């Protein structure tokens, strides 16, 4: 048995089992960076394992753009939907729920239980819609810090996440330098490139030009589903890689014969994309998509300043992992981040993994990633 | 003066001057590969230079997906719009109108003067819309061959084009082996990858889910402009490169201040994309976009067979040029094409140019490209 087999085996070790989400509500006015305010907010989260007496064994997991709080175990005895990072989180796994207390919260601005643009404003009893304040990653992290307060945790053992989740770990390290020992940022970077902003803006326009968007004022179940679906189809391509898609689909036709109607689905890859678009609209809200992508586009770890000024604020040590086939958050951006941190005298490490799955690589089973995270969490 | 300066200077040499397009109409029924038929068709074209007595100095230029017949000179004494390949075509330029007779025709299925889905069907006096037959690159080339017949040209000196135009040169070499001496295919390849099909399908869905598409039955000036605009914005990103966009726009803000409304245009790159989408709908038809992208997705130079079977048909020699930053029609696809041709004993050459402009590199001024084409046309 080689190393890789031995680790693959471990991946299927202990399971968290059936989990229930919880709702944490902060019942005081909450200020956004933009100056906006909401009278209260809720974060939906899941937690696994036990907080020890010293309260120093907690790990916070930050999800990606369209992710949620359900990252491990199964959500329901009937539905039995597995968490999005199930292979990574559980007893004996890298994020080890037998020794750590693990929290994963849906972000502020989200739409899967946490307060976001389509939540009811208690002051008006109507949804916020576009009256929801302008949102930043700083706001999301500040809201999460209230949840951490609620548990009485002074300092997190680690904050970890991929993509937007990776950027949130950086925001944590910058905004709450005394409240985490380490961060692990996967497939992220210090800021979006022009290309990534361009894709996000095209997705937002697909939503906002759908007549059913109606300036954000749509009822639940009557939103801009076509526009959101187009945005998702496009974004989904950017999460994968040319070689990954080629290996999975190539030019395989959906049926043995050519489509009969002019513009019927013809290739397998088209069918797959249609499915991605369709299933997305049943679980994600268009206004949340607008707010979260804008927050991401605006994120600039250095705030337009000399990297040293920002890096100097950081006390935690960090591991940054880039993936060679990730063209949305390319390795250069991940690598450059660590280079800057090191130049500023901060403890940080960079690893680049070779995987064919594009940006989504961080969500895929990989013995290398598994081992890296396991080890770094126990330094 | 170094070589590159000397060539840059040449680029600005002779101009074709004011040109007028012509319409060639083939007044007999035309059969499509699919079995469909139209009672006649028109190709709009421009021609520069003079056809010699031997009729052996003609070069056919094939345009890209949304290109047109106006590739050199200026179109109108007032509008003065330059051709899309003006730096390449003219007296003393690589495609030399002082020695060659140069034809550039808008393709069958297009919307800029040639017969396409929104043309009037003479049998019904109504637009074809989706009754226009299923279209292939083979159909486009067959229609062009009628234009070449019209000029009494037996054999073209060369067929040259980029992107879809490059694929059309390959189709020419395969379908009319005795009618061309050489072909030059830039930024193309033998077939679309799954990723390219995925982007095209997302663009088509953006059009077809716009309520104004109406199953293709819209009047001129009332089409699915929002959907077409989204499709163009997305496609435009794929024509460029991450590094090219980063150099041009980076994270530059549109104004000195942050946008006031939640989802206003904020970054320069967003503004640029909006402009691309908006200007496109004023010059391009949504149904043509559907037909042409489908024809491209279906194109498979090898027709699913052993490359040898197809390559054996070819008699012309070919030059294939790939661009290192082109991630839509990546260098591998261009390189692989020539590898297969050479393995099958066909005269073919591959050159890979390093330019930052992504897929659109073939449209950009480059002394290397200029010199390559100039030389290859005179072998």
């Amino acid at each position: 048995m080689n190393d890789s087999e031995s680790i693959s085996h471990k991946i299927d070790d202990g399971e968290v089992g059936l989990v229930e989400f919880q709702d944490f509500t902060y019942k005081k006015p909450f200020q956004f960076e933009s100056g906006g305010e909401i009278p209260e907010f809720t974060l939906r989260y899941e937690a696994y394992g036990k907080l020890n007496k010293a309260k120093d064994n907690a790990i916070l997991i930050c999800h990606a753009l369209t992710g949620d709080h359900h990252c491990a175990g199964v959500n329901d005895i009937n539905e039995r939907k597995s968490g999005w990072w199930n292979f990574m989180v559980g007893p004996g796994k890298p994020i080890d729920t037998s020794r750590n207390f693990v929290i994963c919260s849906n972000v502020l601005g989200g739409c899967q239980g946490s307060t976001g643009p389509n939540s009811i404003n208690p002051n008006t009893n109507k949804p916020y819609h576009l009256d929801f304040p302008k949102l930043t990653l700083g706001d999301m992290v500040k809201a999460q810090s209230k949840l951490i307060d609620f548990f009485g945790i002074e300092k997190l053992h680690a904050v970890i996440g991929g993509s937007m989740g990776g950027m949130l770990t950086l925001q944590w390290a910058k905004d709450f330098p005394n409240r985490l020992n380490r961060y692990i940022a996967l497939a992220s970077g210090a800021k979006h490139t022009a290309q990534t902003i361009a894709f996000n803006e095209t997705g937002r326009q697909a939503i906002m030009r759908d007549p059913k968007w109606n300036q954000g004022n749509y009822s639940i179940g009557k939103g801009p589903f076509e526009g959101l679906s187009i945005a998702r189809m496009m974004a989904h391509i950017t999460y994968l890689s040319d070689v990954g898609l080629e290996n999975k689909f190539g030019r395989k036709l959906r049926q043995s014969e050519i489509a009969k109607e002019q513009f019927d689905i013809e290739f397998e890859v088209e069918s797959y994309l249609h499915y991605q678009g369709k299933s997305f609209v049943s679980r994600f809200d268009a206004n949340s998509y607008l707010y979260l992508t804008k927050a991401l586009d605006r994120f600039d770890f250095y705030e337009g300043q000399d990297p040293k000024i920002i890096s100097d604020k950081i006390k935690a040590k960090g591991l940054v992992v880039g993936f060679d086939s990730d063209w949305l958050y390319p390795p250069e951006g991940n690598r450059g981040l660590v280079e800057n941190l090191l130049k500023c005298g901060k403890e940080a490490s960079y690893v680049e993994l070779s995987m064919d799955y594009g940006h989504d690589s961080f969500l895929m089973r990989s013995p290398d990633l598994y081992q890296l995270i396991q080890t770094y969490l126990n330094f």
Side-chain angles (χ1 to χ4, degrees), chain A:
Chain A
M1 195 190 281
N2 64 26
D3 280 3
S4 144
E5 278 168 343
S6 129
I7 289 164
S8 308
H9 180 70
K10 273 195 209 153
I11 289 179
D12 296 316
D13 272 0
E15 292 292 336
V16 163
L18 195 67
V19 292
E20 269 189 277
F21 68 79
Q22 307 290 329
D23 285 337
F24 159 72
T25 300
Y26 182 77
K27 289 201 169 288
K28 284 189 262 181
F30 180 84
Q31 311 279 336
F32 287 66
E33 273 193 273
S34 61
E37 188 180 286
I38 52 177
E40 60 176 52
F41 71 83
T42 295
L43 293 188
R44 181 160 293 178
Y45 68 95
E46 286 182 3
Y48 327 105
K50 283 191 178 157
L51 188 60
N52 62 13
K53 279 195 178 164
K55 299 194 173 186
D56 64 1
N57 69 333
I59 296 175
L60 175 66
I61 296 175
C62 299
H63 64 74
L65 173 60
T66 65
D68 61 18
H69 48 275
H70 179 45
C71 87
V74 289
N75 66 330
D76 181 277
I77 202 155
N78 296 311
E79 193 182 355
R80 296 197 68 76
K81 186 182 165 195
S82 289
W84 56 266
W85 228 9
N86 207 28
F87 78 92
M88 193 64 87
V89 184
K93 296 187 180 182
I95 301 176
D96 188 348
T97 55
S98 63
R99 51 200 282 181
N100 292 106
F101 177 61
V102 180
I103 309 161
C104 181
S105 89
N106 187 230
V107 294
L108 184 70
C111 52
Q112 297 173 97
S114 294
T115 300
N118 280 10
S119 301
I120 299 296
N121 178 348
N123 291 344
T124 64
N125 278 321
K126 291 180 185 165
Y128 288 103
H129 292 152
L130 297 206
D131 289 335
F132 195 78
K134 191 183 273 193
L135 181 73
T136 65
L137 267 62
D139 299 323
M140 298 180 209
V141 160
K142 186 177 160 193
Q144 283 178 330
S145 77
K146 304 298 181 189
L147 172 63
I148 303 308
D149 290 346
F150 161 77
F151 284 113
I153 298 163
E154 293 256 317
K155 198 169 195 176
L156 291 157
H157 177 68
V159 182
I160 177 169
S163 193
M164 182 178 90
M167 291 177 167
L168 288 168
T169 74
L170 299 172
Q171 190 80 43
W172 260 98
K174 180 166 74 171
D175 292 356
F176 299 100
N178 296 314
R179 299 198 68 179
L180 69 166
N181 281 313
R182 80 206 73 203
Y183 59 94
I184 304 181
L186 313 170
S188 63
K191 52 191 169 189
H192 277 184
T193 63
Q195 182 176 275
T196 304
I197 294 172
F199 275 120
N200 276 346
E201 175 64 4
T202 306
R204 285 190 293 267
Q205 289 298 322
I207 291 167
M208 298 197 295
R209 295 184 190 195
D210 182 328
K212 293 188 177 163
W213 181 59
N214 189 29
Q215 298 299 311
N217 299 310
Y218 53 83
S219 332
I220 301 293
K222 290 189 175 173
F225 296 148
E226 300 297 1
L228 182 60
S229 181
I230 296 298
R232 177 61 169 187
M233 288 171 77
M234 184 189 62
H236 196 79
I237 305 172
T238 71
Y239 299 154
L240 307 175
S241 75
D242 195 16
V243 65
L245 279 168
E246 201 59 21
N247 292 342
K248 190 165 179 181
F249 301 107
R251 296 175 56 83
K252 275 201 293 281
L253 296 175
R254 193 185 179 200
Q255 296 148 326
S256 54
E257 51 184 319
I258 297 292
K260 293 235 168 42
E261 294 298 320
Q262 287 275 20
F263 303 112
D264 278 358
I265 292 174
E266 193 167 339
F267 295 98
E268 280 284 359
V269 68
E270 295 174 327
S271 168
Y272 169 75
L273 268 192
H274 279 247
Y275 172 79
Q276 292 297 332
K278 195 173 174 185
S279 65
F280 186 62
V281 300
S282 68
R283 72 175 176 87
F284 214 84
D285 169 60
N287 282 337
S288 266
Y289 195 82
L290 299 178
Y291 273 86
L292 295 178
T293 57
K294 256 298 180 194
L296 278 168
D297 286 348
R298 287 189 191 122
F299 175 71
D300 176 359
F301 180 64
Y302 305 121
E303 300 164 22
Q305 301 183 69
D306 184 323
K308 180 143 177 65
I309 296 171
I310 298 301
S311 305
D312 272 355
K313 297 185 178 177
I314 291 177
K315 294 185 179 172
K317 63 184 172 192
L319 170 66
V320 176
V321 181
F323 298 89
D324 62 351
S325 60
D326 183 354
W327 58 276
L328 188 66
Y329 289 17
E332 300 86 293
N334 289 270
R335 201 187 302 135
L337 179 64
V338 171
E339 186 181 322
N340 278 330
L341 287 163
L342 288 171
K343 280 178 181 167
C344 299
K346 298 295 155 179
E347 208 178 330
S349 306
Y350 176 65
V351 175
E352 195 166 310
L353 295 182
S354 185
M355 286 170 76
D356 277 349
Y357 302 100
H359 182 59
D360 271 357
S361 292
F362 75 96
L363 294 168
M364 301 298 166
R365 285 165 177 259
S366 149
D368 287 330
L369 184 60
Y370 193 97
Q371 194 166 1
L372 268 172
I373 291 180
Q374 189 162 51
T375 312
Y376 201 80
L377 285 177
N378 294 306
F379 268 168

